[in-house]
Amino acid sequence: MTSAITRPGVKRGTIPVFATATAITVSNIYFTQPLLDEIARDFHTSASAAGLVATTGQIGYALGIIAIVPLADSVRLRRLSTLLLVVTTLALLAGAAAPSIAPLSMATLILSASTVLPQVIMPTVVSMATPGNAGRVLGAVGTGLTMGALLSRTAAGLIAEAVGTWRAGFAVAAVATGALLLVLPRYMPADSPAPAGTRQSYGRLLASLPRLIIEHAPLRLSAVLGATVFAAFSAFWSSLAFHLTAPPIALGPAVIGLFGLFSVPGALAARYSGRLSDRWGARRVNVLSLTSVLLAFALFGFAGQSLIVLAVGCNLLGYGTTSSQIANQTRIFAAQPAIRARLNTVYIFAVFAGGAVGSAVAGVMFSAFGWAGVVLSGLGFVLLAGMALAGNALYVRRRAGRAPAVAAGAVR
């Protein structure tokens, strides 16, 4: 039975399977973060040395985005997904058995590089959608991605506390990822998105990435919006623990970890932004997302000592960030299927680069000005995103006024 939002021939249950797979695999990037203190104690090393595990995870994911995701434009997707799941599962098992920090960091590097499956699934599910439903399917699968990122830290902490060792987190992640081998490949397309005779070599795929930035205006706009909004998101989350542990709030780490759970309603609400993208166009959803993020930081600034206000702001921020990503990917995936994975490569790389900048800026601002500095940082990133969106709208209007025929191909 084919859903009304997927093309004929697509298996029933594809969207839920993709959303679940995305949630499980993306969690592999984040679940180590609450375990770092336990890892340091187990290996009798410093916190900075244990921090290498998280650092190598981020490096690995960035490498995977650049080196692996472009392959999804030319290779058989079923084979690629199977290989990535096998490598990730084996690396997780190696991490669970690691005797010291060095092999654990290497295992984390490999598993993070191979767990880029969500960025392969995103362009794939759009290719399976019926016309006019790209945003809707992206909303459904993107919600799985956000839920995996939000809940993985909480789940890892609870598992480690229940079992008594950080290794249990790696073992459970290995079992969950390995279980996907029994399901996900059957729902992935057997063939490559590129027609026979048009498939490019690996070197040409990578070499084409800079050209895509030059040739595709929708990609440039989405990359700027994605980077700036995620920079604001990262500025908040990278500084929240410092804010909550400082007087007068002075919370413990257990309560701080619950803020990931507090953000779930906002992430779930963002699913409907996909339908709005199909109905209204990506630009209007971008305006909605920026308004939500702006309101979040306004709340953080006016009543940042209130836990209730912080929880409300977390939901507004989560809704705005997820809605922004759905709108941005709806925009770039309007291109032909044969280049969607590479467009997504450039876009996601820009997003994570923005996140790194946001965390770094917030760290400096928090040290200099406290919580007010973090709020100003977030507002600054929102202002940059608003300027980019307004500038694009003005450019499109001017082009439409000069040559109405050109407007049909303008960035929405």
Side-chain angles (χ1 to χ4, degrees), residues 236 243 293 295-305 309-314 317 371 375:
F236 171 77
H243 177 56
V293 175
L295 287 174
F297 276 95
L299 288 177
F300 298 151
F302 285 116
Q305 306 299 330
V309 170
L310 285 173
V312 172
C314 281
L317 181 60
W371 185 243
V375 173

Side-chain angles (χ1 to χ4, degrees), residues 1 42 81 164 166 211 214 218 269 319 331 336 343 357 377 390 407:
M1 181 177 177
D42 189 30
S81 62
W166 59 267
R211 188 174 69 250
I214 298 172
Y319 174 81
R331 180 185 291 111
Q336 61 266 40
L343 292 173
V357 171
S377 299

Side-chain angles (χ1 to χ4, degrees), residues 156-317:
L158 292 175
I159 292 170
E161 186 172 341
V163 180
T165 173
W166 59 267
R167 298 180 188 274
F170 279 82
V172 170
V175 171
T177 303
L180 290 176
L181 281 164
L182 304 176
V183 182
L184 180 63
R186 291 188 297 165
Y187 287 84
M188 294 293 284
D191 295 325
S192 143
T198 65
R199 295 170 189 170
Q200 300 183 46
S201 67
Y202 181 60
R204 287 188 175 182
L205 288 173
L206 294 183
S208 68
L209 295 178
R211 188 174 69 250
L212 292 177
I213 301 174
I214 298 172
E215 295 178 351
H216 292 268
L219 174 60
R220 294 195 299 273
L221 177 60
S222 287
V224 171
L225 295 176
T228 48
V229 171
F230 198 64
F233 180 87
S234 299
F236 171 77
W237 281 105
S238 63
S239 308
L240 180 62
F242 299 110
H243 177 56
L244 294 178
T245 54
I249 302 178
L251 293 178
V255 180
I256 293 172
L258 292 176
F259 268 83
L261 295 177
F262 295 158
S263 303
V264 168
L268 292 175
R271 173 177 180 173
Y272 298 99
S273 295
R275 299 183 183 185
L276 295 179
S277 293
D278 293 330
R279 233 179 259 170
W280 294 354
R283 181 187 291 122
R284 291 182 179 179
V285 177
N286 281 133
V287 172
L288 178 64
S289 73
L290 289 181
T291 303
S292 182
V293 175
L294 180 63
L295 287 174
F297 276 95
L299 288 177
F300 298 151
F302 285 116
Q305 306 299 330
S306 168
L307 297 183
I308 294 176
V309 170
L310 285 173
V312 172
C314 281
N315 279 279
L316 287 170
L317 181 60

